[in-house]
Amino acid sequence: MNNIENSTEKSAQNLYVFVVFNGTMDAINFEECIQNNGFSGRLIPVPFEISAHCGMCWMEEIKNQSRLEEFIEKQGLSYKKIHVMEY
Amino acid sequence: MIYFDNAATSYHKPEKVYDAVIAAMKTAGNSARGVNEASLSASRILLSVRNKIKNQFNAFSASNVIFTSGATESLNMAIFGLVKDKSNVVTSVLEHNSVLRPLYALSDKQLRVSYVKPQLSGEIRLEDLQELVNENTDVVILTHASNVLGRVNDIEKIGAYLKQRDILFIVDASQTAGLYDIDMQKMNISALCFSAHKYIMGAQGAGVLILNEGVHMKPLKYGGTGTDSYSKNMPTVYPEALEAGTVNLSGIASMGAGLDYIEEYGRQNIKDDTDKLVKKLVDYLASNDRYIIYGTDDYDNRTAVVPFNIIGMDSNKISDMLFSKHQICVRSGAHCAPLCHEFLQTVNSGIVRVSFSHFNTEQEVDILIKALEEIIGE
């Protein structure tokens, strides 16, 4: 998990984890794999703070960050970068 | 009307194919254009069908399953994308114009193109291919089965030979996808091309190009992908790199439904059903010396086509008589395979091609036989 960028030093209030992907297929595959595993996130358009390009990312509650990273690792899910920031 | 032109396109579709088209049209937006339920629904359909295709054809990765408008586009992409300037290409006289015309269009690239000839059965033998392959050959393009003769080629054997020599292998599986097992890894296929609408029984206007591991090409089309929008270049990741523009979602959904149907009904059951029809017609044609039958008698290695002629008759006239008097649809003429007809010396007559679906019945074949007897005056 070395693709993690923490773009804010603010309090945990309104902080989320954003998983950005290399392409749409990876995003949809991610969504399919993560369902029914106790995560509360969803796919959203990539916030401009991360990228002005079009595309989608997975937004997850900050409290699930460690579990999410473990899940990604364990499942071998493909992604480009993980960001932590306010939303 | 009796429809016997399934090698051109399937006419009778499984109910679930119709349902999939309607469901996609009613529930899905445009994949990767925004992140809303309609768009996500489209993306989910695409992922689901990509995964089915990956599993069915043992593709290297679902992301290497590229959706196209059909086998013609897939073959154009593969040929324009993989054949380089001064390439030494080996192909066959059995190829469809969807292979031949792209190669002719590349004539200013100083290609060297050799055409292997099959046996009269339609079989392309490895030893005949080997005679044309030399140290400069970098691409081989072959049909898995001729759309005229229906003989299925041993592409596993050919693929193994080409792998040893590090030669790219482009396979046109238009006539076999859905009817025969195709394993890209076992057969060492670099690029596999087919349509949804023939033996997968999907809708027209959808097809697939599957690239194996390490096969990279420049796109044929440039445009929007819903990603990397400010980049002047196409994305480099598959499938986006080769899927500019809006894909034919309902056609792709129909392809997924067709694959589901084949799995449920059983590919071998489909083959057995069509073999019975082929055998019934071939047995009849063989019983009368007014007919010339072309192609193979090897039922383990043939598709559901029966090519024949009536001695002294124009194939177009036969097909017209079959339709105008008996409402039977068959295909006559050149079948977009000009070199095959030159090889068979049937340029002046064409060939009548009957091609079955497992939805056809023996009663329909009886009606065809009766119609043919009327035409030959017996």
Side-chain angles (χ1 to χ4, degrees):
Chain A
M1 285 291 166
N2 47 12
N3 288 2
I4 301 170
E5 188 167 292
N6 192 334
S7 64
T8 177
E9 297 299 323
K10 293 178 185 173
S11 69
Q13 195 178 12
N14 298 326
L15 276 184
Y16 289 88
V17 184
F18 298 85
V19 184
V20 181
F21 305 97
N22 289 308
T24 306
M25 203 196 87
D26 285 346
I28 301 297
N29 188 51
F30 186 95
E31 180 198 52
E32 187 177 289
C33 292
I34 205 167
Q35 276 172 357
N36 306 319
N37 280 286
F39 292 98
S40 55
R42 63 189 174 94
L43 289 170
I44 64 159
V46 177
F48 269 74
E49 195 173 339
I50 295 174
S51 170
H53 292 293
C54 303
M56 61 184 88
C57 64
W58 183 266
M59 182 176 77
E60 183 64 46
E61 288 182 275
I62 192 72
K63 66 179 184 185
N64 293 332
Q65 182 176 4
S66 305
R67 200 159 60 82
L68 177 70
E69 288 168 9
E70 280 169 28
F71 181 81
I72 291 171
E73 190 83 24
K74 196 173 171 185
Q75 298 288 320
L77 294 173
S78 179
Y79 70 99
K80 190 175 188 178
K81 202 159 191 174
I82 293 177
H83 298 257
V84 176
M85 59 176 217
E86 282 190 332
Y87 187 72
Chain B
M1 185 179 85
I2 296 173
Y3 186 83
F4 286 146
D5 196 13
N6 293 279
T9 196
S10 57
Y11 180 80
H12 303 285
K13 317 278 189 188
E15 280 301 319
K16 62 170 52 189
V17 165
Y18 301 121
D19 294 345
V21 170
I22 297 294
M25 291 182 81
K26 284 188 170 177
T27 63
N30 196 342
S31 171
R33 272 64 172 178
V35 188
N36 52 67
E37 194 50 35
S39 172
L40 289 171
S41 172
S43 297
R44 290 175 193 132
I45 291 172
L46 295 184
L47 177 66
S48 161
V49 181
R50 270 189 234 279
N51 280 326
K52 278 176 198 167
I53 292 170
K54 173 195 176 291
N55 295 334
Q56 183 73 38
F57 298 92
N58 197 15
F60 162 67
S61 153
S63 57
N64 284 31
V65 174
I66 313 298
F67 292 125
T68 68
S69 65
T72 295
E73 186 178 350
S74 306
L75 286 160
N76 271 259
M77 287 169 73
I79 292 168
F80 286 108
L82 295 173
V83 175
K84 299 178 175 62
D85 289 6
K86 297 181 183 174
S87 263
N88 190 316
V89 180
V90 177
T91 184
S92 84
V93 300
L94 296 180
E95 304 310 311
H96 190 273
N97 268 336
S98 52
V99 168
L100 300 176
R101 285 179 171 162
L103 288 174
Y104 299 150
L106 288 169
S107 59
D108 61 341
K109 303 286 184 190
Q110 295 179 280
L111 306 185
R112 181 181 165 81
V113 184
S114 313
Y115 299 89
V116 63
K117 288 182 180 170
Q119 299 294 291
L120 276 175
S121 66
E123 180 191 7
I124 294 172
R125 298 185 310 176
L126 175 61
E127 49 266 49
D128 295 329
L129 183 86
Q130 282 172 319
E131 281 186 20
L132 299 179
V133 171
N134 61 40
E135 66 279 5
N136 297 318
T137 303
D138 48 5
V139 183
V140 167
I141 310 167
L142 281 187
T143 183
H144 192 191
S146 157
N147 66 320
V148 180
L149 294 169
R151 175 63 158 80
V152 178
N153 290 308
D154 189 346
I155 53 172
E156 186 174 343
K157 199 170 163 187
I158 293 169
Y161 166 72
L162 298 177
K163 190 186 181 189
Q164 282 173 3
R165 300 184 69 109
D166 203 21
I167 295 170
L168 286 172
F169 189 21
I170 301 172
V171 173
D172 174 5
S174 300
Q175 294 294 322
T176 53
L179 202 56
Y180 272 81
D181 273 337
I182 300 174
D183 183 323
M184 285 190 72
Q185 307 314 314
K186 206 166 140 188
M187 295 169 167
N188 292 299
I189 298 169
S190 311
L192 181 67
C193 308
F194 57 86
S195 295
H197 66 100
K198 295 182 192 278
Y199 291 101
I200 293 175
M201 296 173 280
Q204 295 176 2
V208 175
L209 164 67
I210 313 177
L211 299 176
N212 216 333
E213 185 178 13
V215 179
H216 298 286
M217 63 167 64
K218 61 184 179 186
L220 195 64
K221 292 188 298 187
Y222 294 79
T225 56
T227 56
D228 294 331
S229 297
Y230 289 95
S231 170
K232 290 181 178 175
N233 302 312
M234 289 294 288
T236 53
V237 294
Y238 291 154
E240 281 93 336
L242 299 173
E243 275 183 7
T246 300
V247 295
N248 175 0
L249 187 79
S250 52
I252 292 163
S254 78
M255 183 158 38
L259 289 169
D260 286 344
Y261 174 83
I262 292 165
E263 193 175 339
E264 287 160 19
Y265 190 88
R267 192 191 52 70
Q268 190 57 48
N269 292 331
I270 290 174
K271 174 79 168 59
D272 291 344
D273 288 354
T274 56
D275 275 355
K276 271 185 206 162
L277 305 176
V278 168
K279 194 163 190 323
K280 187 178 181 76
L281 179 58
V282 169
D283 285 351
Y284 161 69
L285 296 171
S287 71
N288 191 314
D289 59 11
R290 290 285 309 276
Y291 299 108
I292 306 168
I293 309 171
Y294 302 92
T296 183
D297 56 3
D298 177 356
Y299 283 84
D300 291 332
N301 293 291
R302 73 175 298 160
T303 61
V305 307
V306 180
F308 70 95
N309 265 326
I310 298 173
I311 293 172
M313 279 189 80
D314 162 1
S315 69
N316 284 342
K317 188 172 179 187
I318 299 165
S319 76
D320 184 48
M321 289 170 83
L322 285 172
F323 183 72
S324 60
K325 293 185 180 174
H326 305 279
Q327 290 74 57
I328 298 171
C329 306
V330 301
R331 177 82 192 276
S332 58
H335 316 92
C336 302
L339 302 185
C340 179
H341 284 276
E342 284 177 17
F343 169 74
L344 296 168
Q345 300 183 316
T346 51
V347 171
N348 294 327
S349 62
I351 283 179
V352 180
R353 182 188 69 185
V354 173
S355 52
F356 296 113
S357 150
H358 75 296
F359 286 117
N360 289 129
T361 64
E362 293 198 52
Q363 289 72 31
E364 288 178 322
V365 182
D366 287 334
I367 294 169
L368 171 64
I369 289 172
K370 203 173 163 194
L372 288 169
E373 284 182 336
E374 199 178 302
I375 290 171
I376 64 171
E378 289 188 7

